Amino acid sequence: MSKKVLVLPGDGIGPEIVAAAETVLNAVNERFSLGLEITHGLIGGSAIDETGEPLPKATLDAAKRSDAILLGAVGGPKWDALPMASRPEKGLLGIRSELALFGNLRPAILYPQLAEASSLKPEVVSGLDILIVRELTGGIYFGQPRGIETTESGERRGFNTYVYTESEIRRIAHLAFQAAQKRQGRLCSVDKANVLEVTVLWREIVDEVAHSYPDVEVSHMYVDNAAMQLVRAPKQFDVMVTGNMFGDILSDAAAMLTGSIGMLPSASLDENGRGMYEPCHGSAPDIAGQDKANPLATILSVAMMLRYSLESQAAAEAIEAAVINVLEQGLRTADIASEGTTVVGTNAMGQAVLQALNS
Ligand code: IPM
Ligand code: MG
């Protein structure tokens, strides 16, 4: 049976970067005879504009029927004034939650060609290869109760709930340990167990799961220290596992080590390997529609999709090699440009990857 891919371009730069990535996906589909069936849907602000909802039922239904989803980005100033429950971001959080995509893999790799683009010294980041495993469907992002209420004194009070059950911690821990087994065998769990009970439990469960993986060396770090270590000596990390909010923050920090957040792909997996693939960056409304955005994170997300959900390792490797080839040629979008390189737009970067793929 042919595998189904749902493409959700979203908002801002989403449509541009997804268009570039889709030409690459179409090319490998043909070249490796993958027989993928590719359809499109609405999500985020563009879905609000057309249907009134950030996650229309048609999109969710199509997503449930798909083996993999490629997503651009959601959100923008146009929808910022909407109440929290109907903002574009709810579409993204909704699809993550509805599809139970609890395991978010965010690899931060420094391509040697981009050492100059990193905000850290080349010797601090050269050879960097970190995998951040972020829990994606729980924690403070989804905890109840939440809201803004008016107290008896007439003052308003905002509140969220940081909560994890044992089973939620256990399944993300297993995913992270298994990822570490396939890499250097080192896992650092990030928490705030000196202050937050929920992460005291997190630490306890990670240690319990560790017994099943004696070949993985486990360590624990408080999130404030982890943020500092990421910019001080990032190469000490192999795999990091953490909750939803800490993972959101640390992955942006890790992204800058690689030169640009425009380079960071991600995979969000359910228990059965179905996944949604998206760049870690946002919709960048300031450069939307200007052919300036870096499509490489989205193109690399396609590679992750082929590897994790579509069982096509060869196609994944071909895309990754093509990206390296293009960087080697000195082609750069503005976010990763440095002296002596050639700045190209979104479309041209996509075409260059396509050409490298076919060469
Ligand atoms: C990310 C983004 C999202 C998140 C936003 C857009 C809701 O920052 O994927 O990292 O916070 O998870
Ligand atoms: Mg984020």
Side-chain angles (χ1 to χ4, degrees):
M1 221 176 65
S2 71
K3 296 225 175 188
K4 292 188 181 62
V5 177
L6 176 66
V7 177
L8 303 173
D11 311 321
I13 58 170
E16 299 161 68
I17 52 174
V18 165
E22 219 183 319
T23 56
V24 172
L25 177 61
N26 287 330
V28 293
N29 190 19
E30 210 162 292
R31 176 158 143 212
F32 293 86
S33 307
L34 303 178
L36 301 175
E37 199 182 299
I38 301 167
T39 57
H40 295 81
L42 292 167
I43 196 164
S46 46
I48 295 175
D49 288 351
E50 286 218 18
T51 70
E53 289 172 70
L55 179 59
K57 186 170 178 300
T59 299
L60 186 58
D61 288 346
K64 286 182 176 162
R65 287 193 305 268
S66 305
D67 299 286
I69 300 154
L70 178 67
L71 185 135
V74 299
K78 182 175 175 192
W79 306 281
D80 274 353
L82 291 173
M84 192 62 84
S86 42
R87 288 170 60 115
E89 288 79 0
K90 273 287 164 196
L92 179 58
L93 298 176
I95 199 167
R96 287 174 180 172
S97 163
E98 288 284 339
L99 297 184
L101 304 170
F102 71 93
N104 185 213
L105 310 180
R106 298 189 160 191
I109 295 169
L110 180 81
Y111 291 95
Q113 297 84 357
L114 295 185
E116 287 295 313
S118 174
S119 44
L120 297 192
K121 296 190 201 91
E123 64 267 28
V124 177
V125 288
S126 75
L128 181 85
D129 182 355
I130 301 176
L131 177 66
I132 296 183
V133 179
R134 169 189 177 194
E135 200 291 326
L136 202 60
T137 52
I140 197 165
Y141 270 48
F142 292 93
Q144 295 288 347
R146 64 190 295 157
I148 301 175
E149 63 182 17
T150 304
T151 64
E152 274 168 25
S153 68
E155 187 189 27
R156 284 186 308 156
R157 175 175 171 271
F159 55 98
N160 288 89
T161 304
Y162 189 178
V163 56
Y164 271 117
T165 60
E166 289 179 69
S167 55
E168 284 175 314
I169 303 167
R170 208 167 277 127
R171 68 179 178 180
I172 192 73
H174 278 290
L175 188 72
F177 274 104
Q178 284 158 17
Q181 277 183 322
K182 295 189 196 116
R183 295 171 46 101
Q184 294 169 39
R186 289 182 296 117
L187 178 65
C188 178
S189 171
V190 176
D191 61 38
K192 190 69 187 173
N194 51 344
V195 178
L196 303 172
E197 285 83 354
V198 47
T199 67
V200 172
L201 182 65
W202 177 283
R203 192 176 276 224
E204 195 183 305
I205 300 296
V206 169
D207 276 334
E208 173 203 299
V209 172
H211 292 305
S212 310
Y213 302 89
D215 50 336
V216 175
E217 179 194 315
V218 66
S219 62
H220 300 274
M221 199 179 271
Y222 297 140
V223 63
D224 48 349
N225 186 24
M228 178 174 74
Q229 295 301 332
L230 265 179
V231 292
R232 192 189 74 88
K235 283 188 276 181
Q236 69 184 282
F237 298 113
D238 177 21
V239 180
M240 302 174 91
V241 63
T242 191
N244 207 338
M245 183 168 64
F246 295 163
D248 179 45
I249 299 166
L250 293 179
S251 60
D252 267 30
M256 274 325 288
L257 307 176
T258 72
S260 165
I261 192 158
M263 293 302 299
L264 226 72
S266 83
S268 307
L269 305 172
D270 76 359
E271 216 115 27
N272 308 310
R274 173 163 53 196
M276 184 161 79
Y277 299 82
E278 50 176 318
C280 290
H281 59 69
S283 59
D286 54 320
I287 56 164
Q290 299 174 32
D291 193 40
K292 280 188 186 159
N294 185 349
L296 293 180
T298 317
I299 290 172
L300 291 167
S301 298
V302 170
M304 290 188 88
M305 176 165 96
L306 291 157
R307 179 170 288 124
Y308 290 106
S309 292
L310 303 176
E311 287 137 41
S312 185
Q313 180 78 12
E317 282 169 11
I319 291 176
E320 286 158 355
V323 167
I324 291 171
N325 179 319
V326 164
L327 294 176
E328 198 61 55
Q329 291 171 41
L331 299 180
R332 304 282 189 274
T333 42
D335 57 315
I336 48 174
S338 59
E339 223 179 281
T341 59
T342 309
V343 177
V344 297
T346 312
N347 185 43
M349 184 56 107
Q351 288 303 316
V353 174
L354 202 60
Q355 221 170 49
L357 199 61
N358 291 328
S359 67

